[in-house]
Amino acid sequence: MTTGNPRLLPADSGIAEAASVLRTGGLVAFPTETVYGLGANALDARAAARIFEAKARPSFDPLITHLADGAELEKLVGTVPAAVAALAERFWPGPLTLIVDRPAAIPPIVTSGLATMAVRVPDNEHARALIAEAGVPVAAPSANRFGQLSPTRAEHVVWGLGAAVDVVLDGGPTRCGIESTIVDARGERPVVLRLGALPVEALEEAAGPVTVRPGSSGQPVAPGTLTAHYAPRTPLRLAPGGAPPAADGVRRGYLAFRARPVGDWAAVEVLSAAGELTEAAARLFDALHGLDAAGVDEILVEPVPEAGVGRAINDRLRRAAATWHPAG
Ligand code: TXA
Ligand code: MG
């Protein structure tokens, strides 16, 4: 845990101050529609280096560059492949991150030395106002320490990063609740590098068949795809619904999809009583933060239906479980 507190500013009145912190090389955590990002001026290598330091993030894990508007893409990188431009046109602003060639203006530290850059336009008015006011592209990973739960509220950022971040712009809970879908659409057939808030079905409707390669941990193309990731501090494992907890004195918390589990659990979170996957996604990390803070010995989680954004939710749950129960 980090000690000390960042400056917490309301998103509707704090934009100018937060933008000036970005312009002068500082770190600003800000809301997007997916999760809170930890932003720095993407044109400034020293500012970007501070992101890695604040998150204890390995230098091989590249950052996503955020733009205020889709029109900024060509200004920054020049012409992009038609298929990439078409997806940007269709889904930006929104929870889709696209892979393009890294322009010379972006220092290599932002992309961890890769020749490519991940980029998106967030669908959150405060995020876009901040980036526009700063007048620079903003590099931002999720605003959590590396490998831990992503933040969906300003409080999560404060708990996780403390004074390692200069300013937290509080825009309330994020709408989608899980990270953007990352797609490399430069080749013949788009490849999903990370499942996320934009469902695969929506991509396929727009772009035809795609290849989903979320588990390709062989090369570090998208460390959001590392097997162990998104983990709470409390041991967590997957468990199908239905069975009550063993009466063995172990205090267990349960993360349920739609129905409260039977039995005597020490803590319970239900993701969506209505059984809606988008609601479940929006609540996922907040519920896990809650169970993590409940003082239980173990968290059991129920997988959700494997459709739409449910695939991205299950992906996060499997990776969180793998941190505690590595494959085998
Ligand atoms: O929704 C989101 O995408 C959030 C908000 C803040 O925008 N950001 C986010 O960033 O989830 P982060 O750093 O937690 O995850 C970014 C992922 C990493 O797994 C990284 O490896 C991958 O994007 N990435 C970045 N640049 C890449 C590149 N050039 N090629 C492949 N993957 C890349
Ligand atoms: Mg992350």
Side-chain angles (χ1 to χ4, degrees), residues 114-164:
L114 294 178
T116 56
M117 174 180 81
V119 61
R120 81 181 192 99
V121 176
D123 186 17
N124 176 292
E125 55 166 327
H126 304 302
R128 294 174 67 203
L130 173 70
I131 301 164
E133 177 86 15
V136 293
V138 173
S142 52
N144 52 280
R145 288 177 73 81
F146 184 72
Q148 295 188 350
L149 295 174
S150 299
T152 57
R153 296 173 178 274
E155 301 89 293
H156 299 159
V157 181
V158 176
W159 294 336
L161 293 175

Side-chain angles (χ1 to χ4, degrees), residues 59-132:
S59 59
F60 61 74
D61 191 356
L63 308 175
I64 295 174
T65 296
H66 295 68
L67 305 176
D69 197 278
E72 301 294 320
L73 181 65
E74 283 214 350
K75 289 188 208 155
L76 182 63
V77 304
T79 309
V80 299
V84 175
L87 285 175
E89 176 72 24
R90 171 74 179 78
F91 291 111
W92 284 356
L96 173 67
T97 293
L98 293 164
I99 304 296
V100 297
D101 290 340
R102 176 180 64 84
I106 298 290
I109 185 172
V110 169
T111 66
S112 297
L114 294 178
T116 56
M117 174 180 81
V119 61
R120 81 181 192 99
V121 176
D123 186 17
N124 176 292
E125 55 166 327
H126 304 302
R128 294 174 67 203
L130 173 70
I131 301 164

Side-chain angles (χ1 to χ4, degrees), residues 206-230:
V210 303
T211 302
V212 178
R213 207 174 48 186
S216 64
S217 48
Q219 65 269 61
V221 278
T225 69
L226 288 175
T227 309
H229 215 83
Y230 308 111

Side-chain angles (χ1 to χ4, degrees), residues 175-210:
R175 177 166 58 80
C176 301
I178 55 175
E179 298 83 349
S180 61
T181 303
I182 304 179
V183 175
D184 184 351
R186 295 170 305 147
E188 223 166 85
R189 185 184 170 121
V191 181
V192 176
L193 300 178
R194 178 178 72 181
L195 292 165
L198 183 72
V200 169
E201 292 88 333
L203 269 173
E204 294 201 311
E205 208 180 292
V210 303

